[in-house]
Each structure stands twice: as C-alpha cells, then as structure tokens.
Amino acid sequence: MKAHDGMYIDGQWRPATGPDVIEVVNPVDERVIAQVPAGTAEDVEAAVRAARAALVSWAATAPAERAARLTALRDVLAARKDEIAETVTAELGSPLTFSQAVHASVPIAVAGSYAELAATYAFEEKVGNSVVHQEPVGVVGAITPWNYPLHQIVAKAAPALAAGCTVVLKPAEDTPLVAQLFAEAVHEAGLPAGVFNLVTGLGPVAGQALAEHPDVDLVSFTGSTAVGRQIGATAGAAIKKVALELGGKSANVILPSADLARAVNVGVANVMSNSGQTCSAWTRMLVHRERYEEAVELAAAAAAKYGERIGPVVNATQRARVRGYIEKGVAEGARLVAGGTEAPREQGYFVSPTVLADVTPDMTVAQEEIFGPVLSILRYEDEEDALRIANGTVYGLAGAVWAGDEAEAVAFARRMDTGQVDINGGRFNPLAPFGGYKQSGVGRELGSHGLAEYLQTKSLQF
C-alpha cells in the first residue's frame, strides 16, 4: 500500500504539524519501503480534541447502531484481507502464510466478536432497588506494539468503540502501515468523524503526549513492562484508568504422564511462531529429570526444521538483543543444542531458531523476556518443584500444561500464577479473556472482559 503522509484526525487525512518522518524498513532485506510522519504533541492534541468532540454523540449512539458500524468495519477488513497480510509481511517480515492465517484473520474475527457483543452486552441490570448502568469511560489513548500490529489495534479499538468510547491510536513506529490501512477501513465503514483517530510517531514524543494528555480518560498499552511501568506512573499521578498488557516468561510444563513427543513439538512451534516475538510464548519448557535428555533431543530436532520457515525479527536492535541473550545464556552455563548467534542469512534481521538446555531457574534466560526464537529447557524433580519453577518469575501472562489425564493437567494449571493456561495444546479462543498476573499487566483483552475495561459503572437508586 502507499503510505499516507499525514494523520487521520476527525475523519480526514491531515498534514502532520512537524517535518520529521519515520522510515519503515522491511526486515527481510533491510530496505526502506515507506515513510510516515513522526507525530508531535500538537498532532496528538488535535486528535484528542477531535475524539473529545465526537464522544458525546458516539456514547449516546444506540448499541445496535454501534454494532452495525463494527460489522461494517469487520466486512471491510475481510474484503482487504490479502492487502492486510501483504502489508504486515512487508513491514514485519512475517512469512505471508502466517500473515494470512494469523495477522489478518485473527483481527477480523475479533472485530466480528465485538460487533456481536455491542448488540448483546447487558449495559444495564437491576440490582435490588438500583439500576446499575455501564457507560463508556471516555476518550481512549491506545498505544500498540509491532509484534501483532493489526491484532493489537483491533483488540483495543473494537471494544472501545463497542463500549461507546472514542479512540486515539499511536501505533508502533516499526509497523505503521497496517495502522494506516485500519484507519482507511474505519473511514470506509462509515464511522463518524472523530470517533477513531490515528497519530503515527515515536513513543517518547507522540506516545508520551497521548499518555499524559488530561483529556484522555484511559490509556491502553501493550508493550514492555519497563514502558508499562512508566505509563502506569503517569496515569496514577492523574488518577487515570489504565489497561496494561506487558511482558511474559511463560512456562510449558510437561508432566511425566504426557505424550512427550507431542508436547515438545507443539512447544517448540509455539516459541518459534512469529519468530518468537509473542509475549505469551512458552519460552520455558519444564521437563521431569527422568525424561529430560529425551526432550532435549526432540526439541533440538524440532527447532532445526524451522531454520528456513520463520521470518526475521523486527529490526537490528531486536536482533542484537536476542543474540545477546543467547550469549549470556551460554556464559551462565546453558548448553547450546540448536541454533546460536551466527547469522543464518547474509541479509535481513534473522536469528537462528535456538534451544538452550541445562537452564536453571536463576539464569537470565529463565527470568527475562527475550522476544526472539529462543527456547530454554529446565528440569524439575517433582510436581511441587515444577510448580515452584513455573511460578518463579515476575511475570504471569500465559502457560501450558501437558498430562496423560486432563484432570491432572487442569489441577496443576489452577495452581499456576498466570492469566491463561493451555491444556494439552488447547486452541486459541478470541472470546476468552487475555491478560496477566504480577508484572505481566493490569486488565484483560478480548471477549466481554475486554469490553468491560472500557466501561465505568453508575448506580441509580430508586
């Protein structure tokens, strides 16, 4: 797609207020493919002003009408599915098949789910002598990451719009093109001017201006825990609501009774998906000591198959970061059984699918989020030891449990300090709440729980 050289504000594309631009680089060949404007605080001010002006009428719009507009948006996105996939592939480097199956398809499904929820959600209920009414929280500042660029936009914008909120989006600077495509879809779907606004720009400039703006009622952010901590502090000073979806270091616990080959193969696939750039990836594989070496061999063989199948990481900085973690893991005593730091290709930001064995819970690679195609395998002595290791990080976003008996897996999963657990390879559910415990964030996305984040409650007594 051709990049816009302005911002989408109040229903139209407007020139940026500043001269600076952001170059969009294809991670596969390191070629600049587009430029977008680097937004300023003045651009954010104009976008928030438009969102505030549109709020009263949009909030008063009947839920059925909001549902109709979201249905139209879903239909536009579906009609442009191929273009979405091609755009994400160009700016993120994701293989086209994965872009089609995940980066394009999942947001369309999520948009459709919120079209249905907008029409069916109970915005009022009778409680004794009171009517409890839920109404939109107001203007939403959405700050989204680059790893699942359209999904994260839809997971914030769709529930906010369904709730009756208006939105100002600041997308990741690495993947702004699909955000512009989304703004085009909003326009084509006929949403009123000012209901959705887009400002491209850098986090410390446009993102900070959006988070600090006094007329933004809720900041919804997905990204690193470090930045989430800053946004939380900013919002706290203003007594402003936040929804934070942050880092993860999820455990894939393979109990002794599990089908080891299946658990390992699915676990490796989970980590290598999207080149390891998934906050909920099961990057720690926990295996009983008696089956440990077998699991290591299986994982190394499985990882080797992904050498030509995964795309690059998003940029040179991320590539250096991932390689640095691999080096640190080996320096701290981990055994490299697949991959490593050598460049698998001469061009592009590629990292070899890597497996580290003999990882102990205190190692850096077992505690910190790497965000690349790197799997750490840890051994445990018994179930209590596995639980201690699984819960032994500052994160709690996702996880997995495998066992021959489903009830055994469920019993273990209920004791894990994490927001979402897949049982024996459970499938993704776009209606299930997604979010974390501890430093993995505050709030939930997707389904009715995601919609509730954008509502505030009023009680009327009679």
Side-chain angles (χ1 to χ4, degrees), residues 45 128 186 238 267 271-272 281 297 305 308 319 358 391 395 423 433:
E45 173 64 34
V186 164
V271 173
M272 301 307 161
E297 291 181 9
K305 298 176 183 178
E308 298 298 322
R319 179 180 59 188
D358 299 340
N391 290 340
Y395 298 112
I423 306 298

Side-chain angles (χ1 to χ4, degrees), residues 99-274:
S99 293
Q100 292 169 333
V102 177
H103 288 297
S105 297
V106 172
I108 293 168
V110 171
S113 74
Y114 279 113
E116 294 179 12
L117 272 170
T120 60
Y121 190 83
F123 290 95
E124 278 193 356
E125 63 175 328
K126 188 80 163 57
V127 179
N129 64 305
S130 301
V131 171
V132 179
H133 174 71
Q134 296 187 71
E135 59 191 31
V137 72
V139 175
V140 172
I143 303 175
T144 56
W146 43 261
N147 60 324
Y148 289 91
L150 184 59
H151 169 62
Q152 291 293 341
I153 290 170
V154 173
K156 298 181 188 306
L161 296 172
C165 298
T166 55
V167 177
V168 177
L169 169 68
K170 204 297 287 184
E173 48 263 37
D174 289 290
T175 53
L177 301 182
V178 77
Q180 290 190 342
L181 194 156
F182 180 77
E184 292 178 359
V186 164
H187 193 85
E188 188 176 341
L191 271 77
V195 167
F196 174 84
N197 308 272
L198 168 67
V199 176
T200 54
L202 301 176
V205 180
Q208 184 172 343
L210 185 58
E212 293 178 347
H213 201 290
D215 276 340
V216 171
D217 300 294
L218 181 151
V219 180
S220 180
F221 168 78
T222 297
S224 72
T225 296
V227 176
R229 190 177 290 114
Q230 295 173 5
I231 289 175
T234 298
I239 318 298
K240 182 181 300 187
K241 189 175 181 182
V242 294
L244 304 173
E245 198 267 279
L246 307 175
K249 196 67 186 177
S250 301
N252 180 17
V253 182
I254 305 175
L255 296 176
S257 63
D259 179 340
L260 185 66
R262 179 166 179 258
V264 170
N265 285 325
V266 174
V268 170
N270 176 276
V271 173
M272 301 307 161
S273 177
N274 208 40

Side-chain angles (χ1 to χ4, degrees), residues 216-379:
V216 171
D217 300 294
L218 181 151
V219 180
S220 180
F221 168 78
T222 297
S224 72
T225 296
V227 176
R229 190 177 290 114
Q230 295 173 5
I231 289 175
T234 298
I239 318 298
K240 182 181 300 187
K241 189 175 181 182
V242 294
L244 304 173
E245 198 267 279
L246 307 175
K249 196 67 186 177
S250 301
N252 180 17
V253 182
I254 305 175
L255 296 176
S257 63
D259 179 340
L260 185 66
R262 179 166 179 258
V264 170
N265 285 325
V266 174
V268 170
N270 176 276
V271 173
M272 301 307 161
S273 177
N274 208 40
S275 303
Q277 300 169 126
T278 303
C279 53
S280 58
W282 312 332
T283 52
R284 294 181 298 144
M285 181 179 288
L286 278 56
V287 184
H288 190 270
R289 58 180 173 78
E290 292 184 354
R291 307 194 72 184
Y292 185 80
E293 289 302 333
E294 182 184 356
V296 168
E297 291 181 9
L298 288 167
K305 298 176 183 178
Y306 286 88
E308 298 298 322
R309 292 164 56 184
I310 66 172
V313 294
V314 70
N315 56 38
T317 299
Q318 187 65 17
R319 179 180 59 188
R321 168 188 167 90
V322 175
R323 288 176 174 173
Y325 272 111
I326 296 170
E327 291 172 351
K328 194 169 186 64
V330 173
E332 291 182 358
R335 173 167 45 116
L336 182 67
V337 297
T341 58
E342 292 186 10
R345 303 189 192 183
E346 292 183 1
Q347 191 176 39
Y349 307 128
F350 290 89
V351 177
S352 294
T354 297
V355 177
L356 296 172
D358 299 340
V359 175
T360 57
D362 59 324
M363 288 183 182
T364 303
V365 293
Q367 291 292 322
E368 297 184 9
E369 185 175 46
I370 298 173
F371 228 59
V374 181
L375 170 65
S376 297
I377 309 181
L378 298 85
R379 57 169 56 84

